[in-house]
Amino acid sequence: MKAIKIIASIVVALLVVIAIVVFIGFKNLNTLVEAAIESVGPTVTKTDVQVDSVNIELTEGRGAIHGLTVANPEGYSDRPIFLVDEAVLQILPSSITDDVVVIREITVDGARLNAEHKGLTDINVKTLLDQMSPDSPEQPPKSTTASPDVRFMVEKLNFTNATLDLRSEELGQRELSMGDVRLTDLGDRETGLTPAQLTRAILDPLLKRARARVEEEIKSEAEGALKDELEERLSDEDKETVDKVRSLFD
């Protein structure tokens, strides 16, 4: 009887300790997530990554990341290349203690990208993508209390109403349309993605869309300028000849 009481006391004590550890972990969850973002982000982008605040409500299965910024690559302006006022997360609470944390949906509405073009081919978005390449050596992460073993799966990712501000030495400043980016099933429930892999999987499609729009704009402007210059140099007789050749092909 005495042995049973001792065992029962040990079990109760263990449960209390576990409850305290879980409580402390959940209580500091926002700080841990914020530290993880600012630690893992730079290992992927090779630039500074900052976040203003994180608010995770596990009991409600939701969360939000506020004021996320990714700094410009070296050689460009001090303006951040990527800014997010708020990213909203829908989390599967029961997966928090699993090997893979399942995020049902991430919605980023109104993200802002600042693209810069200088010289002939230098574009900051392309530079950042090159730095994010899996073949590019990763920097060691900053010290953080976040577990290095945690893995994630994102079932849905939505970038909506993103804006792309282009500043070019050749073209001046203009705003380009981006269109929405929607992705599904980043990772899986068995193996998931590491924080670094998830960061790359989230940023890569959006940056590629931005790079394509910038390159398309530069190409269009270059072709237009070349056409105007050629027309200025052609004599009236040459223009008539060109028109006749075009009519033959038509």
Side-chain angles (χ1 to χ4, degrees), residues 33-86:
V33 173
E34 182 177 334
I37 293 172
E38 294 182 346
S39 171
V40 175
T43 70
V44 177
T45 64
K46 313 300 187 297
T47 65
D48 193 34
V49 176
Q50 297 288 332
V51 62
D52 287 343
S53 64
V54 174
N55 182 24
I56 305 294
E57 299 177 5
L58 288 180
T59 56
E60 302 294 332
R62 65 188 181 193
I65 299 171
H66 302 278
L68 174 66
T69 60
V70 177
N72 238 338
E74 187 176 350
Y76 295 92
S77 75
D78 294 334
R79 296 193 313 157
I81 189 173
F82 181 64
L83 304 90
V84 173
D85 289 333
E86 182 181 62

Side-chain angles (χ1 to χ4, degrees), residues 231-248:
E231 289 184 351
E232 287 179 3
R233 293 186 179 184
L234 289 175
S235 65
D236 292 339
E237 185 178 344
D238 291 333
K239 291 179 181 178
E240 289 179 3
T241 303
V242 171
D243 290 338
K244 288 179 181 179
V245 173
R246 284 177 178 169
S247 64
L248 289 175

Side-chain angles (χ1 to χ4, degrees), residues 131-221:
Q131 292 180 178
M132 288 173 52
S133 169
D135 297 329
S136 177
E138 291 191 354
Q139 295 177 348
K142 301 175 185 177
S143 59
T144 175
T145 53
S147 171
D149 299 324
V150 65
R151 302 179 78 89
F152 300 90
M153 176 199 180
V154 177
E155 294 181 344
K156 293 181 181 180
L157 172 64
N158 305 309
F159 279 104
T160 57
N161 301 312
T163 59
L164 176 60
D165 180 42
L166 171 61
R167 296 189 181 185
S168 168
E169 294 178 351
E170 304 294 331
L171 310 179
Q173 182 176 354
R174 60 190 64 185
E175 187 171 300
L176 307 179
S177 61
M178 277 281 293
D180 294 345
V181 176
R182 301 181 187 275
L183 303 171
T184 58
D185 296 333
L186 305 181
D188 56 56
R189 295 199 179 198
E190 285 71 39
T191 56
L193 299 175
T194 66
Q197 290 171 335
L198 180 60
T199 301
R200 187 176 287 110
I202 290 174
L203 288 178
D204 193 72
L206 187 69
L207 292 174
K208 284 182 176 178
R209 174 76 62 86
R211 183 189 66 183
R213 286 293 293 114
V214 171
E215 291 177 345
E216 178 184 326
E217 188 75 8
I218 294 170
K219 180 181 178 181
S220 176
E221 288 290 333

Side-chain angles (χ1 to χ4, degrees), residues 19-37 53-58 96 144-147:
I20 292 173
V21 170
V22 171
F23 173 76
I24 292 175
F26 285 174
K27 185 177 180 181
N28 296 326
L29 184 60
N30 294 336
T31 302
L32 294 176
V33 173
E34 182 177 334
I37 293 172
S53 64
V54 174
N55 182 24
I56 305 294
E57 299 177 5
L58 288 180
I96 292 296
T144 175
T145 53
S147 171

Side-chain angles (χ1 to χ4, degrees), residues 106-135:
I106 299 176
T107 300
V108 182
D109 188 62
R112 288 165 287 163
L113 290 99
N114 293 317
E116 296 179 15
H117 166 237
K118 61 181 183 178
L120 293 175
T121 59
D122 292 338
I123 304 173
N124 65 339
V125 180
K126 181 180 182 302
T127 301
L128 185 62
L129 279 168
D130 290 342
Q131 292 180 178
M132 288 173 52
S133 169
D135 297 329

